[in-house]
Amino acid sequence: MADPIELLIQGRAHELGPGFAVRRVLPSAKRRMVGPFIFLDHFGPMVVPPGGSGMEVRPHPHIGLATVTYLFDGGIFHRDSLGYAQAIRPGDVNWMTAGSGIAHSERTEEAMKKSGFRMHGVQTWVALPKAHEEAAPSFQHVSAGELPAWREAGASLRLIVGSYAGRKAPTTHFSPIFYVAVEMPAAGKLTVSAEHAERGVYVSEGAATIGDRQLGVGDLAVLTAGSPVGVLAGGEGAKLMLLGGAPMDGPRHIWWNFVSSSKERIEKAKADWKDGRFAKVPGDSEFIPLPDR
């Protein structure tokens, strides 16, 4: 019987800021993308005590991608150069299309820092097809109640972006994609549909088994194409992210927060940020300087 896992990627520790560690899963030396997903950071679960700093990501730029933020616990306040100011809560989705260029900040709200909070979530970047890399920047907030949610063999599923299992999310997207948050009970079973060409299963909490391999937190299993794949949760249950879609239309270059099919376009974005040509985030005079690398 063929191995249902084509490749196993293990997240590596990365400091997003003082006291704010993440697991960086994509891009990996083993695999750059799964469908259009080119970046995956997993933060938490962590408990921030009263008076703690939480997330303090100053304004920074993006091109050629869309950011997708999904939380299990906590909250993030988003501001961008289009003027949007939007809190995100567990189960909601913030989808920001960078396209030709956008700047944004992501911070913990003062009330949450004052009271203390638990933080846990995943941020991904979706590469845009060549025809949409220079699309006008935009922002969309979709509340948890607007997303398709259902139960399957005891597991709870919520479709964040795209299409899956006969359902479609209202979230903006530009190419075939699926992104599903799954909560499984102890020893629960789930079958990952074969409908998309590229599929991944990421373990964000607990443990799961696929085939004869045990997966823990930080593991991304890239599945072999063509057949449904069974997943068995561990004794304490599991939280999974199912993700993927169609293969991207050619390779992508990634440098800092920029993604493009063109190295020259990334060089232009670097110069534009360094020289202050990106639009500013209203009400926020801070910014992250262009890295010296």
Side-chain angles (χ1 to χ4, degrees):
M1 184 176 178
D3 189 341
I5 298 180
E6 175 189 321
L7 178 67
L8 184 61
I9 299 171
Q10 295 174 313
R12 57 207 183 279
H14 179 83
E15 284 288 327
L16 191 63
F20 201 91
V22 301
R23 290 181 180 86
R24 182 146 297 169
V25 184
L26 289 175
S28 164
K30 296 179 179 179
R31 178 100 177 209
R32 302 285 285 176
M33 288 185 276
V34 179
F37 289 88
I38 194 169
F39 177 96
L40 191 158
D41 261 5
H42 173 207
F43 47 91
M46 65 183 79
V47 175
V48 180
S53 59
M55 180 180 283
E56 290 293 333
V57 182
R58 293 168 293 161
H60 58 281
H62 291 287
I63 65 162
L65 57 86
T67 66
V68 191
T69 304
Y70 188 83
L71 297 178
F72 302 109
D73 295 291
I76 298 172
F77 201 87
H78 161 99
R79 294 183 186 275
D80 64 41
S81 52
L82 297 176
Y84 287 97
Q86 175 67 56
I88 181 172
R89 296 290 185 257
D92 298 345
V93 176
N94 275 5
W95 171 286
M96 184 184 75
T97 302
S100 60
I102 198 168
H104 75 135
S105 63
E106 298 162 293
R107 302 182 190 268
T108 299
E109 294 161 87
E110 291 301 322
M112 293 184 72
K113 289 193 287 187
K114 185 176 180 180
S115 63
F117 60 98
R118 176 181 162 92
M119 189 73 163
H120 189 198
V122 176
Q123 185 174 79
T124 55
W125 297 351
V126 173
L128 301 180
K130 292 176 182 177
H132 297 281
E133 283 187 301
E134 296 298 321
S138 62
F139 177 81
Q140 181 186 24
H141 175 81
V142 184
S143 65
E146 298 176 82
L147 297 169
W150 69 103
R151 295 186 67 82
E152 181 179 316
S156 298
L157 296 87
R158 176 176 285 125
L159 180 59
I160 301 168
V161 181
S163 61
Y164 183 81
R167 297 165 174 85
K168 292 185 179 180
T171 323
T172 298
H173 61 281
F174 296 89
S175 63
I177 185 175
F178 77 105
Y179 192 25
V180 182
V182 182
E183 295 193 28
M184 300 178 69
K189 295 181 179 180
L190 176 77
T191 299
V192 182
S193 167
E195 65 197 88
H196 289 276
E198 297 188 359
R199 302 168 295 163
V201 176
Y202 179 72
V203 181
S204 56
E205 192 170 302
T209 300
I210 297 178
D212 60 1
R213 285 198 260 188
Q214 175 102 10
L215 308 180
V217 173
D219 288 340
L220 172 64
V222 181
L223 304 182
T224 302
S227 301
V229 172
V231 182
L232 175 66
E236 297 182 359
K239 288 183 179 178
L240 311 175
M241 306 302 285
L242 314 181
L243 57 96
M248 189 46 54
D249 57 351
R252 290 296 185 273
H253 306 285
I254 182 169
W255 189 92
W256 192 36
N257 301 312
F258 305 137
V259 169
S260 179
S261 58
S262 163
K263 288 184 178 180
E264 291 75 19
R265 181 65 180 90
I266 287 180
E267 290 302 315
K268 181 181 184 302
K270 289 162 66 173
D272 286 345
W273 183 249
K274 186 175 182 179
D275 295 340
R277 287 190 290 269
F278 272 78
K280 305 296 189 293
V281 177
D284 199 331
S285 60
E286 295 186 299
F287 66 94
I288 299 177
L290 189 76
D292 191 17
R293 60 176 176 85

